[in-house]
Amino acid sequence: MVHYPEDDSGSDTCYDDTGSAGPLLPDFQSSRGLNSQEPSKRPVSHNWLAWRTRFTLPFRRRYVIFFLLVILAGTMAHLSGRFDTLLERLDAPPKHTRQRAKPSKTPSLHQDSPVYVTLSGDFDSPPAARPTPTAEVTETALPAHLRTVMDTDGIVPTLHLKDSLRNDTKYLTSFISAGFTNDQITMGNIIYLAMITGRVPILPPFTSVIEGGAKRPLPFSEIFDVPRMSVALNHPIVEWHKLKDIARAREENVYDELGCWNIMEVNDMHNKAVRGSYSTVVLALDISYTRAPQSVKLMPGFEHDSHSTFWALAKLAFPNGRSAALAQPHENPTRPSEHRGVLLPPDEHVLCYDFLYYTCALEPLEFESEKDYSPMWREVMSHAHWNRPTVALAQDYLRKLLGLSRGMSIPPFIAIHVRHGDFLDYCGDVPTKDCFAPLSTIARRVGEVRGELRERLGTKVQHVLMMSDEKDPAWWEDVQAYGWIAVDHKKLRTEEDHGNWYPVVMDAVMQSMAMGFVGTDRSTFSHMAKRRVMYWNNGATRMVKWGRIGADDH
């Protein structure tokens, strides 16, 4: 087994002409000296129709030319003022505002440019977000207020994290401990919590539990366009590996001691220990955890709830909330660190939480993630575009799968994601063949997506790509019998050529480039792909229910 909004809406700003109120007209009473001939002896008439008889033809021509030149000069001055104002607006830092963009029926995602379409509306017609740059953004080209924190070109990471941090800036970090898509959700939660607390997020690398994933941590910026995302959010984002020399620290067995909040012990009433994370091993950290107050739990006293809310956690980022929690050491004890046994209160410079995946605004994550107000997606991850090399690599694989020559435009296609694998554990006593949706059910959903694209966008889609963790050869033969293209990363040699992260990364990227998507209900991998297709491509999506015979009947 093994996801881009733009807002080109114009401003309503009015440009006023601050120049002269208008050209001065010639004084007809004193203009006779302009004519080389003797002035007329006729009495001067004030009839407006008589003006043409007072001057010779050459003068009148000069007057018309003069008048036209004045109008032209005034127009050029007006346009110049508008242009200068526009340049000032482009140079100014992006405002933390939200504008609406008109829906586009002409998707541009199948060209070589990784710039995608922004939409507006409700969940079915996604909301526009902050303006996202359409050109490539580098750290050195960031606005000043972002560049001072993010520009690390020429700066050597230090052995200890805090030696690389600014004294006038506060930071926030956490760790990851799940699968690839769930870790993306955690990253979004880290960034959003940093935004509402006025801190700079420090992102750990991906250390997913996919086979061998932790052997080579994957930096967030290796696949995502961090400068572009930062500009869209109007908020700086940094990463651990750009601040700390992690390889040297691990080689020399040098640990950073850090005090962090332990929230999972509070959220999970059956857990009496800190939730471990391979991130702390990779980053060479020695953490002393302080148990968070019971108020961080979404549903206090409810054993089946494992969630915190953003603002309950944000309270601990500020002096009053922090002091109140630390004033109750019996309820919120501090654990000694694992390596040196030091006792440290939660750090104020680098605010730290153990695990932020189960963080929400109002409702448990499994319900909130599909809501249109979900801050993780709406405020953050909708701006997490793939970077150019990642998009280019996915386009190369799509051309191979579709039999296209290098450089050829990629036609619209439908992507399917079918998750079986570990979902078998949720089938219980239901036989596998009855638990998972048959291909005929998936085909019906593909037909619905085709129909919607044709009716709503006038787009006819021929190609269908299947991506799945299913290992049964007979199942894959049935897939091909439907005329669908099987994405086989072994045949594509994806892992051999690019490493063991890239089969799952390429599936996610290729799914996000589809005009239509059919996914597996309850799979976060499918739900993230669905959001990207809807929000970035104005595409059509369906989710297939499973768990019993006829689960997806409708």
Side-chain angles (χ1 to χ4, degrees), residues 525-537:
F525 199 96
S526 281
H527 280 291
M528 190 68 83
K530 172 186 175 180
R531 284 184 176 272
R532 286 166 174 152
V533 170
M534 290 177 62
Y535 278 67
W536 297 348
N537 311 341

Side-chain angles (χ1 to χ4, degrees), residues 240-402:
W240 273 89
H241 73 280
K242 293 193 174 184
L243 301 173
K244 177 176 179 175
D245 190 340
I246 299 170
R248 179 185 167 199
R250 296 186 64 184
E251 182 180 345
E252 298 181 11
N253 202 30
V254 174
Y255 291 88
D256 274 326
E257 298 172 351
L258 188 64
C260 297
W261 289 105
N262 165 19
I263 60 176
M264 285 306 297
E265 186 177 356
V266 176
N267 290 341
D268 186 352
M269 297 178 62
H270 300 287
N271 179 25
K272 299 303 178 183
V274 174
R275 172 147 182 161
S277 170
Y278 188 64
S279 296
T280 59
V281 177
V282 169
L283 301 173
L285 298 176
D286 191 20
I287 308 292
S288 174
Y289 285 104
T290 297
R291 189 165 66 199
Q294 291 294 321
S295 58
V296 304
K297 186 174 172 63
L298 175 64
M299 302 177 188
F302 184 50
E303 64 175 325
H304 300 296
D305 167 53
S306 301
H307 296 79
S308 290
T309 63
F310 286 107
W311 281 106
L313 297 178
K315 181 179 178 180
L316 301 176
F318 300 99
N320 290 346
R322 180 179 186 275
S323 299
L326 295 180
Q328 306 292 331
H330 296 292
E331 296 181 12
N332 311 313
T334 298
R335 295 172 178 266
S337 65
E338 182 178 354
H339 294 283
R340 296 192 178 95
V342 297
L343 291 171
L344 297 172
D347 200 272
E348 293 185 89
H349 194 192
V350 182
L351 180 63
C352 173
Y353 303 89
D354 56 346
F355 190 58
L356 291 177
Y357 173 72
Y358 294 105
T359 309
C360 59
L362 294 171
E363 303 175 77
L365 184 68
E366 59 266 30
F367 305 111
E368 183 172 282
S369 61
E370 274 295 285
K371 298 297 176 64
D372 53 5
Y373 67 82
S374 169
M376 175 278 301
W377 171 260
R378 183 183 179 91
E379 303 295 337
V380 181
M381 291 307 290
S382 61
H383 301 281
H385 301 282
W386 312 110
N387 60 29
R388 289 181 180 272
T390 304
V391 170
L393 183 59
Q395 289 172 334
D396 287 343
Y397 280 119
L398 284 171
R399 291 188 180 99
K400 290 179 183 178
L401 291 165
L402 299 175

